[in-house]
Amino acid sequence: MYLTYDQRTLDIQYSPSSCVADINVFLREYAERSALARNRLEVRSGVRYGPRQEQLFDYFPAAGPGGPLLVFIHGGYWQELSRLESAFMALDLVPRGISVAALGYGLAPAYRLPEIVDMVAEGVRWICRNADQLPSSPGSIYLSGCSAGAHLAAMSLLDGPGWLRYEDRPDRTVAGAVLLSGVYDLEPVRRTYVNEALGLDPETAHAYSPIHRLPAPLPPLVVARGENETDEFGRQQAEFVDAVRAGGGQVVDLVVASRNHFDLAFDLGVRGTMLGDSLTELIGADR
């Protein structure tokens, strides 16, 4: 439990890079694979979903109309990365008939966490309401996010659940979500070096922790982490899964062998992997 750690240990527990030899290897691969997706696939870049300059997403349509859409929310501890490095899964998913949207948002410290949460929720709402206007007119919409992106995806599901059934149209419901290596309780994060950029106080940390917003009407979830992650990321996932199930939610709980915090997302669209097959089953289509 995080309250038993000294400061150095707690900081290490919330430093995912402590479990890998070189984080830059993965960051380069995000960028390279995402650039390859833009070169190989049709893409509509910089679709605006709100007034702030960062409120843009890049959209990779699948060939057939009415197929599912995966909206991916990047990580980076709410202060790094962007939509530009976050489209790598499109290489695997788009050929299978699954469109992809890489969602951008403003980062800390320029924005506080409540603003970031609101931005992402606004992006999800915009996509749900305007999917008919996107190329291929996707049908069912799914969310995914990694690390801070998993937190933001979860908060989007909990932010005003009435919008999830926009005009009572099933194809405009967020049909499910895949949350990777997420942070669902922000209080321990508030006590670490990460908070230098976030500036969380105890009240905000509690209010913006998904685990404290349950139970709520949630779609089916896949919640996953890599085997090679810190104990605190394992605890965060276990307690979140328990809380969702206690509220009656449907959750697939995965710990993926030989994967870490940074390379787990590469499996999203890959058949024959634990995560990729779970996404396929969640979508419920032979894709």
Side-chain angles (χ1 to χ4, degrees):
M1 182 65 177
Y2 69 90
L3 292 173
T4 66
Y5 294 132
D6 60 34
Q7 188 62 57
R8 180 176 181 276
T9 303
L10 185 61
D11 283 345
I12 291 172
Q13 284 290 318
Y14 282 92
S15 177
S17 61
S18 66
C19 294
V20 299
D22 184 1
I23 185 178
N24 292 307
V25 171
F26 305 104
L27 301 183
R28 284 195 297 270
E29 192 164 1
Y30 294 164
E32 290 168 1
R33 290 196 190 189
S34 296
L36 191 60
R38 288 182 172 82
N39 288 332
R40 289 185 176 178
L41 302 171
E42 179 185 351
V43 58
R44 179 174 288 187
S45 298
V47 180
R48 179 160 296 283
Y49 68 83
R52 293 184 172 97
Q53 64 178 356
E54 300 90 349
Q55 288 184 280
L56 305 169
F57 66 91
D58 293 342
Y59 177 66
F60 297 79
L69 166 62
L70 184 74
V71 180
F72 186 77
I73 304 165
H74 69 81
Y77 261 157
W78 306 276
Q79 56 191 293
E80 295 181 88
L81 299 177
S82 74
R83 73 186 199 280
L84 300 177
E85 303 89 15
S86 305
F88 48 85
M89 72 295 301
L91 287 169
D92 299 308
L93 291 174
V94 169
R96 296 171 53 190
I98 302 169
S99 299
V100 171
L103 190 72
Y105 55 89
L107 302 176
Y111 296 96
R112 292 303 190 187
L113 188 66
E115 296 176 293
I116 296 171
V117 168
D118 286 348
M119 268 188 272
V120 171
E122 187 174 355
V124 174
R125 286 193 294 268
W126 191 98
I127 290 170
C128 287
R129 292 170 175 166
N130 295 280
D132 281 343
Q133 309 306 313
L134 295 173
S136 298
S137 298
S140 297
I141 295 167
Y142 298 82
L143 303 186
S144 184
C146 184
S147 192
H151 164 268
L152 293 168
M155 289 298 295
S156 294
L157 295 175
L158 297 168
D159 179 33
W163 70 264
L164 290 174
R165 295 195 177 276
Y166 180 67
E167 295 181 352
D168 296 321
R169 293 179 55 184
D171 64 343
R172 291 299 172 262
T173 300
V174 175
V178 181
L179 308 178
L180 308 179
S181 302
V183 179
Y184 309 106
D185 179 3
L186 297 180
E187 177 56 25
V189 175
R190 185 185 71 82
R191 298 167 180 255
T192 71
Y193 70 97
V194 181
N195 202 37
E196 293 174 10
L198 298 179
L200 295 173
D201 57 32
E203 293 74 22
T204 305
H206 186 276
Y208 285 84
S209 293
I211 199 166
H212 298 313
R213 303 279 293 272
L214 301 171
L218 289 175
L221 302 178
V222 175
V223 181
R225 65 176 176 87
E227 176 186 35
N228 301 321
E229 301 213 38
T230 68
D231 291 343
E232 271 296 283
F233 276 91
R235 182 188 67 80
Q236 287 262 356
Q237 175 162 316
E239 293 187 1
F240 180 71
V241 166
D242 288 347
V244 173
R245 286 176 174 164
Q250 176 185 335
V251 188
V252 175
D253 181 16
L254 303 178
V255 179
V256 181
S258 302
R259 284 304 198 188
N260 61 57
H261 192 90
F262 304 102
D263 63 6
L264 177 61
F266 291 139
D267 288 348
L268 267 172
V270 181
R271 289 189 181 95
T273 65
M274 184 183 292
L275 180 60
D277 289 348
S278 294
L279 173 62
T280 299
E281 185 173 349
L282 178 70
I283 290 175
D286 184 19
R287 297 182 183 276

